[in-house]
């Protein structure tokens, strides 16, 4: 069981995405694990053949518990070269075989298409597609995600998020009868809740009739007592209780980690007000050139500036481990994301300092969607080197965050406001934002933190260069 964050002590294995005998590669998604915060897709740490399963789905185990066995893949022997066992079986003094009278024809070898990745095989199982009947359009005939989704579309089988599938089982909702509102018609958790609420009223009205028992005639043997059907209100209440329990567990997890952070990390705080008039004017012009789905929100520019500043001031980009600071080789920007059912997660945008603003915006949109549908990956939960929180969309003008250990800094942005200010001796109304920094005094001091905020301010004055 991998550690998917400093706040994780145990996890529940929800689902295996591969089966014994499958070939897996490092980085392949092989399982889904439920933590106190979210369902997370777990990548494979090694390449080889997936062997025996040690932990079955539905089991909760501590971090560090072995989940399965992966054995090294045995490379196939080249054509015409005997396997090592065959070589050992040939006597050393055996005479060489007589040469053939003429060139023997070599039968053509049928080239088999590559084995689809575990992710593609899981997607096919999820959508009810027989992957063996597909003709792949990828390199060398490999079956791709588009091939599987196209086959599923012909069968009218929608995609279902892990959370929606779990809620469907809890609320006894037939997922095949739901029209999904997610991307590509995917069924989301909200779709399941809505279907359960719509089915609740007619079932509740019919319940009294179902529970009526006809009188027994004289001399007729008593019928075996049947279990009464579960009332829809009871099902809904049980689901609400489970959700409340999950929310309470998440708050306990977050509370324990934050208490540890404030107890062990000597925080210092800095703030500054940044003029965003140039940035907002540039952004308005840029968005006029883009289709509506591709338009950029101000948060993308703030995140890009925070990532570039972290590269420029590396003393804030890394970890406090074994009583000393360990700088990170890359800038993996953790982004605080609020979940619909309360709580938050802070997965990473990898190498955020190297992305264009358009690419960063696309990754931010994808990350938020997957965080709220239970499709985050393990590496996204464990890789952040510095975290950014932005509460401007909730109206907060200033946010002083709590550092997520073992990181050593957290940047915050508040609401973008229009405020009077003096520029070049003249008073005017301009767009502004308050940027804050919470940093670990063991790893840096106020001068270093001030350099970081100064770098963000300077970078945001030239948005076209971000």
């Amino acid at each position: 069981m991998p550690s998917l964050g400093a706040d994780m002590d145990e996890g529940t294995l929800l689902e295996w995405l591969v089966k014994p005998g499958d070939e897996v590669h490092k980085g392949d998604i092989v399982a889904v694990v439920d933590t106190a915060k979210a369902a997370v897709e777990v990548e494979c740490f090694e390449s080889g053949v997936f062997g025996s399963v040690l932990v079955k789905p539905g089991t909760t185990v501590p971090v560090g518990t072995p989940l399965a066995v992966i054995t090294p893949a045995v490379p196939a022997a080249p054509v015409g070269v005997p396997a090592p066992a065959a070589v050992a079986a040939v006597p050393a003094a055996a005479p060489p075989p007589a040469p053939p009278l003429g060139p023997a024809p070599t039968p053509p070898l049928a080239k088999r298409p590559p084995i689809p990745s575990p992710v593609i095989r899981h997607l096919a199982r999820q959508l009810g597609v027989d992957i063996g009947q597909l003709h792949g359009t990828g390199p060398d005939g490999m079956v791709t995600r588009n091939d599987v989704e196209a086959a599923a579309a012909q069968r009218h089988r929608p995609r279902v998020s892990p959370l929606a599938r779990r809620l469907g089982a809890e609320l006894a909702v037939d997922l095949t009868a739901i029209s999904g509102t997610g991307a590509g018609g995917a069924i989301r958790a909200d779709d399941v809740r809505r279907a359960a609420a719509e089915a609740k009223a007619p079932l509740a009205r019919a319940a009294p009739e179902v529970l009526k028992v006809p009188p027994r005639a004289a001399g007729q043997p008593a019928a075996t007592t049947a279990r009464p059907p579960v009332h829809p209100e009871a099902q809904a209440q049980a689901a609400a209780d489970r959700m409340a329990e999950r929310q309470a567990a998440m708050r306990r997890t977050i509370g324990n980690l934050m208490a540890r952070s404030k107890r062990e990390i000597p925080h210092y705080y800095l703030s500054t007000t940044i003029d965003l008039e140039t940035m907002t004017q540039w952004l308005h012009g840029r968005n006029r050139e883009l289709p509506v789905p591709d338009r950029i929100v101000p948060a993308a520019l703030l995140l890009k500036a925070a990532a570039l500043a972290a590269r420029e001031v590396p003393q804030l980009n890394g970890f406090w481990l074994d009583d000393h600071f360990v700088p990170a080789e890359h800038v993996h920007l953790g982004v605080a994301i609020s979940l619909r059912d309360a709580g938050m997660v802070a997965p990473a945008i990898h190498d955020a300092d190297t992305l264009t603003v358009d690419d960063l915006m696309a990754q931010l949109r994808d990350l938020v969607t997957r965080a709220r549908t239970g499709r985050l990956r393990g590496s996204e939960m464990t890789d952040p080197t510095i975290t950014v929180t932005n509460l401007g969309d909730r109206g907060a003008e200033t946010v002083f965050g709590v550092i997520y250990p073992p990181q050593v800094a957290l940047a915050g942005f508040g609401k973008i406001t229009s405020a009077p200010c003096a520029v070049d001796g003249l008073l005017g109304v301009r767009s502004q934002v308050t940027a804050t920094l919470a940093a670990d005094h063991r790893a840096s001091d106020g001068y270093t933190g001030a350099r970081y905020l100064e770098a963000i301010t300077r970078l945001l004055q030239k948005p076209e260069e971000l």
Side-chain angles (χ1 to χ4, degrees):
M1 177 64 67
S3 174
L4 302 175
D7 53 352
M8 179 177 172
D9 297 320
E10 62 181 16
T12 301
L13 180 67
L14 292 182
E15 185 179 9
W16 282 112
L17 307 184
V18 293
K19 62 182 183 302
D22 286 348
E23 184 175 349
V24 295
H25 301 87
K26 185 176 181 179
D28 285 350
I29 300 172
V30 296
V32 180
V33 168
D34 194 18
T35 70
K37 289 186 176 182
V40 180
E41 296 176 340
V42 177
E43 296 106 327
C44 191
F45 302 140
E46 301 290 344
S47 298
V49 177
F50 191 78
S52 58
V53 172
L54 304 180
V55 175
K56 295 181 179 180
T59 307
T60 301
V61 294
V63 168
T65 301
L67 301 179
V69 175
I70 295 177
T71 58
V74 179
V79 177
V81 178
V87 172
V90 177
L101 297 177
T106 302
L109 297 176
K111 188 173 184 180
R112 299 178 60 186
I115 299 175
S117 70
V119 178
I120 300 302
R121 296 197 297 272
H122 169 66
L123 179 63
R125 289 195 298 268
Q126 188 180 41
L127 299 182
V129 173
D130 184 358
I131 203 168
Q133 301 298 320
L134 299 183
H135 297 284
T137 60
D140 298 325
M142 174 176 284
V143 175
T144 66
R145 176 182 291 272
N146 289 337
D147 299 328
V148 176
E149 291 178 345
Q154 295 177 357
R155 299 186 55 183
H156 304 285
R157 294 286 300 274
R159 288 177 294 171
V160 184
S161 74
L163 179 56
R165 185 180 295 105
R166 183 168 58 192
L167 284 177
E170 293 176 352
L171 301 177
V173 173
D174 182 5
L175 299 181
T176 61
I178 298 178
S179 298
T181 60
I187 295 175
R188 305 183 305 171
D190 288 344
D191 301 323
V192 177
R193 296 189 187 98
R194 183 169 55 254
E198 292 173 353
K200 177 180 176 181
L203 287 176
R205 288 193 296 269
E209 298 297 327
V210 173
L211 294 176
K212 287 182 179 179
V213 180
R216 180 167 56 93
Q220 182 179 359
T224 303
T225 303
R227 296 179 61 185
V230 179
H231 199 282
E233 292 185 357
Q235 288 183 331
Q237 183 60 47
D241 291 343
R242 285 191 292 268
M243 183 60 68
E245 182 180 351
R246 181 177 179 83
Q247 292 175 354
M250 183 182 296
R251 292 314 318 172
R252 285 195 300 270
T253 300
I254 295 174
N256 291 338
L257 182 66
M258 294 298 97
R260 169 190 159 192
S261 174
K262 293 293 288 185
R263 183 172 60 250
E264 299 179 1
I265 299 177
H267 288 61
Y268 70 86
Y269 298 96
L270 302 173
S271 70
T272 188
T273 300
I274 302 177
D275 186 343
L276 295 185
E277 188 66 22
T278 301
M279 188 199 83
T280 54
Q281 294 297 330
W282 178 87
L283 189 58
H284 290 159
R286 181 78 175 90
N287 281 336
R288 282 196 293 268
E289 302 171 357
L290 297 174
V292 174
D294 297 334
R295 288 182 178 174
I296 303 168
V297 299
L301 294 170
L302 299 179
L303 291 176
K304 181 60 185 294
L308 289 173
R311 184 174 69 187
E312 190 173 316
V313 187
Q315 296 91 334
L316 299 179
N317 185 60
F319 313 97
W320 186 262
L321 300 171
D322 299 328
D323 292 329
H324 70 283
F325 175 68
V326 179
E329 297 181 1
H330 305 275
V331 179
H332 298 326
L333 198 66
V335 181
I337 300 174
S338 61
L339 302 177
R340 291 192 178 97
D341 298 321
M344 60 158 289
V345 292
I349 296 178
H350 291 97
D351 298 307
D353 58 319
T354 66
L355 301 175
T356 65
V357 172
D358 292 330
D359 289 341
L360 195 150
M361 182 68 227
Q363 290 206 21
L364 176 62
R365 188 181 293 112
D366 172 68
L367 199 64
V368 171
T369 300
R370 290 191 292 109
R372 291 174 176 170
T373 55
R375 292 173 48 223
L376 289 174
R377 296 171 185 168
S379 58
E380 293 168 336
M381 298 296 293
T382 57
D383 286 352
T385 58
I386 183 173
T387 295
V388 176
T389 181
N390 184 351
L391 293 179
D393 60 339
R394 291 291 175 245
E397 295 188 5
T398 307
V399 51
F400 290 98
V402 181
I403 299 170
Y404 190 98
Q407 299 170 36
V408 298
L410 182 143
F413 294 100
K415 177 183 178 181
I416 297 177
T417 61
S418 296
C421 64
V423 179
D424 297 330
L426 298 176
L427 185 63
V429 177
R430 299 172 69 88
S431 298
Q432 298 179 341
V433 70
T434 298
T436 61
L437 175 72
D440 188 337
H441 226 320
R442 298 171 300 180
S444 65
D445 51 33
Y447 177 78
T448 303
R451 286 176 50 218
Y452 179 77
L453 293 179
E454 182 182 40
I456 291 179
T457 302
R458 171 171 42 78
L459 290 163
L460 289 173
Q461 305 316 306
K462 296 182 178 181
E464 68 281 358
E465 297 180 3
L466 291 175

